[in-house]
C-alpha cells in the first residue's frame, strides 16, 4: 500500500495539470481553488504532542524515535522546562525564544549541543527560555510531521503543567507516556480526564497513543499493561481491550543505535526487537499516516474531483448536443442549463435564503459558545475560590496559584474551542446538505489564549523565625590513672612484732613501690548555652489576610478577563462566518463558471453546420481525453487514500512471551 508521502506527491503532481487546464479554459475560480488545495497540501503539518508526568522518559522516547541520541536533554533529576517543537530542516539548527528582563521576547540561534542549557530545568538559561524550535534532517519529518516534547505535568514544577496545557489545542495527535517504574498516578488520570475534552484529536481513535517506557525493568510487564488499560478506559470511556499501550525500552533502542557497524548483526537485531520500537513505529507511523490522510489528502482530492467535473461536464454537454443534432435536444440542454444558472444566480444574491439561515445558525453558535465559555470559565474561577485558595502552599507561594489557575484557563479555552469547532462543523454540514454542495473550507479557528494571571507582585510568605536557647549540658569523660598501692598504711601498731612488720612494709613501699590503675571522671566540656533559629507557623491572621488579598486579585482578573474572552468568542465566530460565506460564494462562482461555459458552447453548437459539428466532435474527444485520464487518476488515488485512512488503523499484535519485557 502506498505511504502518505508518496500519495501526497502523486496528488500534488495531479493538481498541477488540472490547474493549468483550468487557467487555459478561463475557469479562474476553479484554478484558484486548486491552487489553494495545492498550497494547503504542500504546507500542511500534523502536530503530535508528547506529554506525560515528570521523569516518564518522554525526551528519551523522542530521541530513540528520531534515532538521534541525546538531541534532547535527558536527566533523571532535571526536568524538561520548555516545549520543544521539532520540524524537518536542512541544514539542522536550533532556535530558542527567550523572555528578556523587560518582558520582551527574543529569538536566538543556539548550537545543538547547548540545547540542555535552555531546555532543562536547572540549565544555565532555563529560566529565560519560553520555546525551543528544532529543525532536524530526519526523513520521518519530511512530509510535515511536527513533534512536540512537553514538560512533565504534575511534579514539583507547577508551571510545567501550564506549558503542556498550552500545547494541547494545537495537537492533531497525542502520545501519552507512562512508565513501568510507577503505576498510573491520580495526577496522570486527572490530566487525561481534563485534556481529553481539549485536544483537537480526541474524537479520533487513531490520534491517541499510549506508550509505556522503561519496559525492560520489571520482570512481568503484563500486569502493568492491564492495570494501565483499565485506568485509561475508565477515564476515556472506552473498553479496556480497545486501549492500546505499547511497551518500549528507550535504553535498549539506544544500545542498538550505539552499536558499531562491525558488531554482531544478530545481537543488534535482538536489541532492536527487545526494545519494542518496531512495534511502536508500526502503530505510530501507520496511524499518523491514516490521520494525515483524512485531514490533508482527502480535502485535496475533493477539490480535484470537483475540478474534473467542472471542466469535463461542459464538454460532455456540448458533445451530447452535437451528436444528437436535433433542435429539440439542444433546447432541452439549454433550458436545463439556464435553470441551473438561474438557481446559482439566486444562491449568489445577497437575498438568498441560505444567507438568512446561516445568520440564524451563526447567532445560535455565537450564543451557545458564549454560554459554554461562561460555564467553563465560571468553573475555573469557582475552583480557584473554593479549592486553590484553600491550599496553604498557594497562599505562601502565589506564583504556584497563578500557574494552577493559568493552566485551568488554558484547558477551559481549549475545551470551549473544541466544543465550538464541533458545533461549527455540524452547522456547515447541515448547510451543505440543504444547498447540495460540499463545504470543506470554513473552520472555526482556535480561540486566542486567555490573558495570563500574574500574581508576582505578592511575593512569597516566609515563616517567622525565633531564636530559641538550647542548653548543652556539661560533658565528662573517664580517664585511667595510676597511684601507689601502699603495703603499710595508717599508724604503727602497738605490739612489737606488728611494729616490726609495719616498718618492714614501709621499707618495701620506699625501696620497691607498687602501683595500681584506677579510673576517674573528669570534666570534658562545661555546660553552655547557644541559640538556634526555629521556623514558626505563619500566624492564621496573616494567612487569612493573604487569602483575602489573593481572592480580591483573582476577582479583579476574572472581571478583566470576562469581556476579553467574550470579544474573542465574537471574533472567532465572525471570522468563521466570513470563511464559510466566502467558501460558499467561491463554490457557487465555480458552478456559475461551469454553466456559463456550457451555455456558450450550446450557443456555438446551434450555429455549426454538419461538417463543423463532425470536426468539433473530434476536437472534443481530444480535449476530453486528458480530463478523463485525470479523473481516473483521482478515483484511483481516492481509493488509495481511503485504504490508508481506513475506519481505524489496526493495532499491532500483542507482544509474545519473548518480547514481553521489551
Amino acid at each position: 500500500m502506498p505511504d502518505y508521502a508518496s500519495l501526497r506527491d502523486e496528488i500534488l503532481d495531479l493538481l498541477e495539470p488540472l490547474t493549468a487546464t483550468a487557467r487555459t479554459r478561463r475557469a479562474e475560480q476553479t484554478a484558484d481553488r486548486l491552487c489553494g488545495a495545492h498550497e494547503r497540501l504542500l504546507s500542511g503539518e500534523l502536530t503530535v504532542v508528547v506529554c506525560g508526568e515528570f521523569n516518564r522518559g518522554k525526551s528519551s522516547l523522542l530521541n530513540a524515535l528520531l534515532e538521534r541520541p541525546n538531541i534532547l536533554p535527558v536527566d533523571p533529576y532535571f526536568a524538561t522546562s520548555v516545549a520543544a517543537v521539532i520540524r524537518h530542516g536542512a541544514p539542522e539548527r536550533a532556535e530558542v525564544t527567550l523572555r528578556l528582563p523587560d518582558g520582551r521576547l527574543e529569538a536566538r540561534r543556539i548550537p545543538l549541543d547547548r540545547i540542555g542549557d535552555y531546555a532543562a530545568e536547572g540549565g544555565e538559561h532555563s529560566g529565560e527560555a519560553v520555546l525551543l524550535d528544532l529543525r532536524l534532517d530526519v526523513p520521518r519529518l519530511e512530509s510535515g510531521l511536527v513533534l512536540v516534547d512537553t514538560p512533565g505535568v504534575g511534579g514539583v514544577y507547577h508551571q510545567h503543567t501550564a506549558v503542556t496545557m498550552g500545547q494541547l489545542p494545537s495537537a492533531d495527535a497525542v502520545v501519552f507516556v507512562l512508565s513501568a517504574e510507577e503505576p498510573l498516578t491520580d495526577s496522570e488520570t486527572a490530566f487525561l480526564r481534563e485534556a481529553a475534552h481539549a485536544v483537537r484529536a480526541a474524537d479520533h481513535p487513531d490520534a491517541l497513543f499510549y506508550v509505556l517506557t522503561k519496559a525492560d525493568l520489571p520482570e512481568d510487564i503484563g500486569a502493568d499493561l492491564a492495570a494501565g488499560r483499565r485506568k485509561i478506559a475508565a477515564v476515556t470511556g472506552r473498553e479496556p481491550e480497545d486501549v492500546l499501550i505499547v511497551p518500549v525500552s528507550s535504553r535498549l533502542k539506544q544500545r542498538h543505535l550505539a552499536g558499531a557497524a562491525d558488531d554482531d548483526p544478530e545481537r543488534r537485531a535482538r536489541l532492536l526487537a527487545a526494545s519494542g520500537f518496531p512495534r511502536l513505529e508500526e502503530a505510530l507511523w501507520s496511524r499518523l499516516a491514516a490521520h494525515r490522510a483524512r485531514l490533508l489528502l482527502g480535502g485535496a482530492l475533493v477539490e480535484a474531483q470537483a475540478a474534473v467535473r467542472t471542466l469535463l461536464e461542459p464538454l460532455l454537454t456540448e458533445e451530447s448536443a452535437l451528436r444528437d443534432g436535433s433542435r429539440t435536444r439542444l433546447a432541452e440542454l439549454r433550458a436545463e442549463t439556464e435553470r441551473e444558472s438561474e438557481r446559482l444566480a439566486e444562491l449568489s444574491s445577497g437575498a438568498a435564503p441560505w444567507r438568512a439561515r446561516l445568520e440564524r445558525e451563526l447567532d445560535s453558535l455565537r450564543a451557545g459558545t458564549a454560554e459554554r465559555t461562561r460555564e467553563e470559565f465560571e468553573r475555573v474561577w469557582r475552583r480557584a475560590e473554593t479549592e486553590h485558595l484553600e491550599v496553604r502552599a498557594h497562599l505562601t507561594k502565589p506564583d504556584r496559584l497563578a500557574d494552577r489557575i493559568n493552566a485551568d484557563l488554558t484547558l477551559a479555552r481549549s475545551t470551549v474551542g473544541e466544543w465550538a469547532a464541533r458545533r461549527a462543523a455540524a452547522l456547515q454540514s447541515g448547510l451543505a446538505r440543504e444547498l447540495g454542495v460540499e463545504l470543506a473550507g470554513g473552520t472555526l479557528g482556535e480561540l486566542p489564549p486567555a490573558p495570563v494571571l500574574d500574581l508576582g507582585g505578592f511575593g512569597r510568605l516566609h515563616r517567622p523565625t525565633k531564636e530559641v536557647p538550647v542548653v548543652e549540658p556539661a560533658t565528662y569523660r573517664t580517664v585511667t590513672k595510676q597511684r601507689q598501692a601502699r603495703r603499710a598504711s595508717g599508724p604503727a601498731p602497738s605490739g612489737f612484732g606488728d611494729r616490726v612488720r609495719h616498718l618492714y612494709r614501709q621499707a618495701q613501699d620506699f625501696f620497691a613501690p607498687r602501683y595500681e590503675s584506677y579510673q576517674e571522671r573528669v570534666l570534658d566540656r562545661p555546660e553552655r548555652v547557644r541559640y538556634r533559629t526555629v521556623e514558626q507557623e505563619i500566624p492564621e491572621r496573616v494567612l487569612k489576610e493573604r487569602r483575602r488579598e489573593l481572592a480580591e486579585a483573582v476577582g479583579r482578573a476574572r472581571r478583566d478577563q470576562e469581556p476579553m474572552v467574550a470579544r474573542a468568542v465574537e471574533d472567532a465566530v465572525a471570522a468563521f462566518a466570513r470563511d464559510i460565506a466566502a467558501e460558499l460564494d467561491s463554490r457557487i462562482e465555480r458552478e456559475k463558471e461551469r454553466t456559463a461555459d456550457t451555455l456558450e458552447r450550446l450557443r456555438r453548437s446551434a450555429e455549426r453546420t454538419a461538417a463543423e459539428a463532425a470536426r468539433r466532435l473530434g476536437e472534443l474527444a481530444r480535449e476530453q481525453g486528458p480530463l478523463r485520464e485525470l479523473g481516473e487518476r483521482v478515483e484511483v488515488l481516492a481509493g488509495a487514500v481511503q485504504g490508508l485512512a481506513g475506519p481505524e488503523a489496526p493495532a499491532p499484535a500483542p507482544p509474545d512471551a519473548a518480547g514481553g519485557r521489551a
Side-chain angles (χ1 to χ4, degrees), residues 65-76:
L65 270 175
L66 296 170
E67 299 191 347
R68 296 292 300 274
N70 303 318
I71 190 66
L72 295 171
V74 177
D75 192 292

Side-chain angles (χ1 to χ4, degrees), residues 259-277:
D262 56 355
D263 282 355
D264 180 5
E266 292 186 4
R267 176 179 173 277
R268 294 189 64 198
R270 287 196 300 271
L271 280 174
L272 179 60
S275 73
F277 272 82

Side-chain angles (χ1 to χ4, degrees), residues 165-191:
M165 288 295 193
Q167 293 297 322
L168 289 179
S170 63
D172 296 299
V174 173
V175 175
F176 194 82
V177 181
L178 316 171
S179 173
E181 286 188 312
E182 187 174 347
L184 195 64
T185 64
D186 290 342
S187 61
E188 286 175 306
T189 54
F191 173 81

Side-chain angles (χ1 to χ4, degrees), residues 394 396-403 406 452-461 546 550 553 556:
H394 289 167
T396 58
K397 301 178 179 65
D399 53 327
R400 291 191 179 183
L401 173 63
D403 289 339
N406 285 327
V452 174
L453 173 65
D454 185 4
L455 299 176
F458 283 91
R460 294 191 170 190
L461 285 181
R546 170 55 67 90
L550 288 174
R556 286 194 300 271

